Amino acid sequence: VLIHPTKDHILLHTTDNPTSATIKMLSVDGIIHDEIVVESSELGIEWNDLDPSLILLTAFHQDWSFDVFLYSGNEGVFGLIDIEEPFPKWYGTDKILTGFLDGHSLDGGSLLVYDITSEKWKDSELTDVVYFDTYGEVLLIVRINEENDALYTLMNLDGVVSAEWMMPAVSNYSEWVFPEIAWLSDNAVFMPSPEESGQLDNLAGLYRLVRI
């Protein structure tokens, strides 16, 4: 069960079959507005923060190949997107971000932007990104500096920065590991922070819950 940030809609992910999923979109009064079936063994769901009628669904199959579907309830659209990465993020209501096509997980890579209206991709010109997330029209990116600290930046796609901060960076040898971020709004987040940088298996210290 997912609750939309507007608190007006609920999304149910259900199944009675290990190779398919049924997605139901409900208003909070229990009325089902739409229902779709997606053939999949595992399903990733990316719900648009601003418009509950927009959903990205990543359907993983038993061989771990995947398809990414765009659902637009208002437009009556449910179709495939040509994308090479399985975990896209919404930016606003008409753009999708994905990344790391040109870099190893530890080195980072570039973010790409997909316009759902023109159905075209372009380079965001943001490089060395090892992690990213979005909320509405705000982008959070993480880069690693020479001291192996994580530099977090809140910005928009035009490059205007609203906040930056440093935190210790944690890896598990092959990739950087980042805690789950809870967005309170487009300018406030909760997140756990380790007390020091290092390998995940070797960290013994506690985590702090940080509000930024």
Side-chain angles (χ1 to χ4, degrees):
V1 180
L2 298 178
I3 302 172
H4 193 265
T6 61
K7 307 298 190 293
D8 293 329
H9 293 81
I10 298 169
L11 186 149
L12 297 181
H13 174 191
T14 68
T15 185
D16 56 7
N17 185 323
T19 60
S20 71
T22 301
I23 306 300
K24 301 178 182 181
M25 282 68 72
L26 299 83
S27 54
V28 291
D29 54 8
I31 297 175
I32 297 178
H33 292 278
D34 207 348
E35 181 176 323
I36 55 177
V37 177
V38 183
E39 297 298 318
S40 62
S41 297
E42 298 285 343
L43 190 68
I45 301 172
E46 179 68 15
W47 206 357
N48 190 283
D49 299 314
L50 303 176
D51 185 346
S53 72
L54 295 172
I55 307 171
L56 293 171
L57 299 168
T58 303
F60 292 95
H61 308 296
Q62 290 184 337
D63 60 358
W64 291 109
S65 62
F66 65 90
D67 296 305
V68 178
F69 296 92
L70 168 64
Y71 167 84
S72 176
N74 289 340
E75 303 296 330
V77 172
F78 180 61
L80 284 169
I81 295 179
D82 184 14
I83 189 171
E84 296 185 43
E85 293 291 308
F87 301 111
K89 297 283 186 180
W90 283 105
Y91 182 86
T93 57
D94 60 355
K95 292 181 176 59
I96 297 166
L97 301 185
T98 186
F100 316 133
L101 299 182
D102 63 351
H104 185 272
S105 296
L106 286 173
D107 299 327
S110 300
L111 290 187
L112 300 177
V113 184
Y114 180 76
D115 189 307
I116 64 173
T117 303
S118 65
E119 299 183 351
K120 292 182 179 179
W121 289 94
K122 72 173 184 178
D123 194 333
S124 70
E125 299 184 358
L126 295 171
T127 59
D128 303 321
V129 178
V130 295
Y131 177 84
F132 76 100
D133 200 2
T134 60
Y135 187 94
E137 294 185 344
V138 175
L139 169 63
L140 170 68
I141 65 171
V142 183
R143 296 181 171 111
I144 305 297
N145 66 13
E146 294 180 355
E147 289 75 34
N148 278 348
D149 291 318
L151 173 63
Y152 288 76
T153 304
L154 277 180
M155 61 189 302
N156 64 23
L157 275 182
D158 294 326
V160 178
V161 174
S162 56
E164 282 192 322
W165 65 92
M166 289 279 210
M167 283 188 173
V170 176
S171 71
N172 67 352
Y173 301 98
S174 63
E175 62 183 357
W176 298 104
V177 179
F178 296 97
E180 183 176 353
I181 295 172
W183 292 83
L184 304 179
S185 67
D186 59 4
N187 64 355
V189 296
F190 271 121
M191 57 190 300
S193 172
E195 294 182 333
E196 60 181 355
S197 300
Q199 298 288 344
L200 184 63
D201 293 342
N202 298 331
L203 293 180
L206 299 175
Y207 279 69
R208 298 176 295 128
L209 182 61
V210 180
R211 183 183 188 275
I212 298 169

